[in-house]
Amino acid sequence: MSSQTITADAAGTWKLGDLPVHRLGFGAMRLTGSAAFHHGTPSDRDRSIAVLRRAIGLGVNHIDTAAFYFSSLRSANELINTALAPYPDDLVIVTKVGPYRAYDGEWGTSARPEDLRGHVEENLRQLGRDHLDVVNLRRMPKYDSIAEHFGALAELREAGLIRHLGISNVTPRHLAEAQAIAPVVCVQNRYALDRPDPDGDELLRLCGEQGIAFVPFYAVAGEAAEQGATTAHDKDVRAVGLAHGASPAQIRIAWTLHQGPHVLAIPGTGNPDHLTENVAAGAIRLTDEELKRLDSRRHEAG
């Protein structure tokens, strides 16, 4: 498929609370290197800045990031600030808090509720903003309940540091727990074509019923996760891609967007060509038969 003139609006729009975004967004994790965090080699700074500016030029107005997205040389938030500030009026930057990494890259102790203000203020400082559009609480495995942590973020929302709240790495009961405290505008969970997930399917359904955005991560990376995009594409993904003149990665993005009008995609890359391809995937319209074929492979994998 031709991707040169396709922009993010081809994927349609959704609202994060009162903030409209194109359903095809951008994940900043891969901006910092050939793989996330301290894996791989650090990225070329100028190229990463060019990717961000190209994303805006292609109509992307939803960027997902975090203060703990950094490699030995690069910080995703700093790159975003340098490339895009002063920010476009319609740009929505979504951050997440909870996990913590020390400057040497090692994962540290997960945040306690009273630590979250510091996490929020670090994102504010790095991004050069006086408030954050959306903050996701990333649930940490050591905490079974998210009530105290989410309550702490709700207080920061009341104080004006945060506009909207979301949650990440959660189950349906965590969504109910959070909703009892403050409105949730998005749920960000791992969800992919080749990864059967009954809890994820239930969250997808619940979010649709409640008008909450469902935002999968690792939708393109698959089992490769933070190491980068998977190359393990099955024959059905490749066949559907061939029919559309599209790459397997584009089909995975298209399948993600076809899971519901409330589903957003945030593929990440540090490669400007891949960025253009990812955005173009928002224009792919899969047939019912193609969706059935792809879904059948997913269920067989379970």
Side-chain angles (χ1 to χ4, degrees):
M1 64 179 296
S2 173
S3 59
Q4 295 307 307
T5 59
I6 298 174
T7 55
D9 61 327
T13 60
W14 190 257
K15 282 189 175 182
L16 296 173
D18 61 346
L19 302 173
V21 295
H22 293 138
R23 293 177 59 219
L24 198 297
F26 179 79
M29 179 186 286
R30 294 292 304 283
L31 281 177
T32 64
S34 61
F37 309 127
H38 274 43
H39 303 293
T41 57
S43 63
D44 178 84
R45 177 178 172 76
D46 290 341
R47 177 168 159 167
S48 293
I49 288 173
V51 165
L52 282 162
R53 290 174 176 165
R54 175 64 174 158
I56 299 302
L58 289 171
V60 171
N61 60 3
H62 168 208
I63 295 177
D64 177 83
T65 187
F68 54 84
Y69 286 176
F70 62 88
S71 67
S72 58
L73 292 182
R74 305 279 174 260
S75 156
N77 280 355
E78 187 275 330
L79 289 167
I80 291 168
N81 190 345
T82 299
L84 303 180
Y87 298 107
D89 291 341
D90 67 338
L91 178 62
V92 176
I93 299 178
V94 179
T95 60
K96 63 185 70 63
V97 297
Y100 169 76
R101 292 175 69 214
Y103 289 119
D104 64 2
E106 292 300 314
W107 291 99
T109 303
S110 299
R112 299 181 300 275
E114 61 269 24
D115 297 328
L116 291 178
R117 184 179 185 114
H119 286 216
V120 167
E121 290 188 349
E122 181 64 8
N123 278 283
L124 287 169
R125 183 190 68 78
Q126 292 178 4
L127 291 166
R129 307 198 76 171
D130 60 5
H131 76 280
L132 298 174
D133 297 324
V134 183
V135 174
N136 284 316
L137 172 66
R138 167 80 175 187
R139 185 180 71 87
M140 297 144 285
K142 67 178 289 186
Y143 296 106
D144 183 56
S145 168
I146 65 170
E148 285 190 70
H149 288 80
F150 195 77
L153 289 181
E155 291 178 4
L156 297 178
R157 175 175 171 266
E158 290 297 318
L161 295 183
I162 301 170
R163 189 159 179 176
H164 296 295
L165 297 174
I167 51 179
S168 176
N169 194 36
V170 294
T171 66
R173 69 179 176 83
H174 294 117
L175 174 59
E177 194 174 36
Q179 287 281 68
I181 297 169
V184 174
V185 302
C186 57
V187 172
Q188 188 180 106
N189 265 34
R190 187 169 182 173
Y191 196 80
L193 172 59
D194 53 3
R195 191 172 189 268
D197 179 3
D199 269 352
D201 292 338
E202 178 65 4
L203 272 170
L204 177 74
R205 184 187 68 79
L206 290 170
C207 286
E209 289 179 353
Q210 298 179 37
I212 298 169
F214 185 78
V215 191
F217 61 85
Y218 294 154
V220 176
E223 293 306 309
E226 68 270 9
Q227 298 292 342
T230 185
T231 57
H233 304 293
D234 67 38
K235 62 181 179 65
D236 290 305
V237 172
R238 294 182 184 280
V240 173
L242 186 63
H244 287 269
S247 70
Q250 287 178 309
I251 295 304
R252 292 171 73 96
I253 294 169
W255 177 88
T256 300
L257 292 170
H258 277 70
Q259 300 312 297
H262 64 298
V263 178
L264 312 183
I266 49 170
T269 182
N271 183 313
D273 293 333
H274 290 169
L275 169 69
T276 302
E277 292 176 3
N278 289 346
V279 171
I284 296 175
R285 301 295 181 258
L286 301 174
T287 67
D288 290 343
E289 186 59 35
E290 288 169 337
L291 285 169
K292 182 178 179 180
R293 182 176 185 178
L294 294 171
D295 288 341
S296 69
R297 297 292 295 184
R298 182 168 187 263
H299 297 317
E300 286 172 15

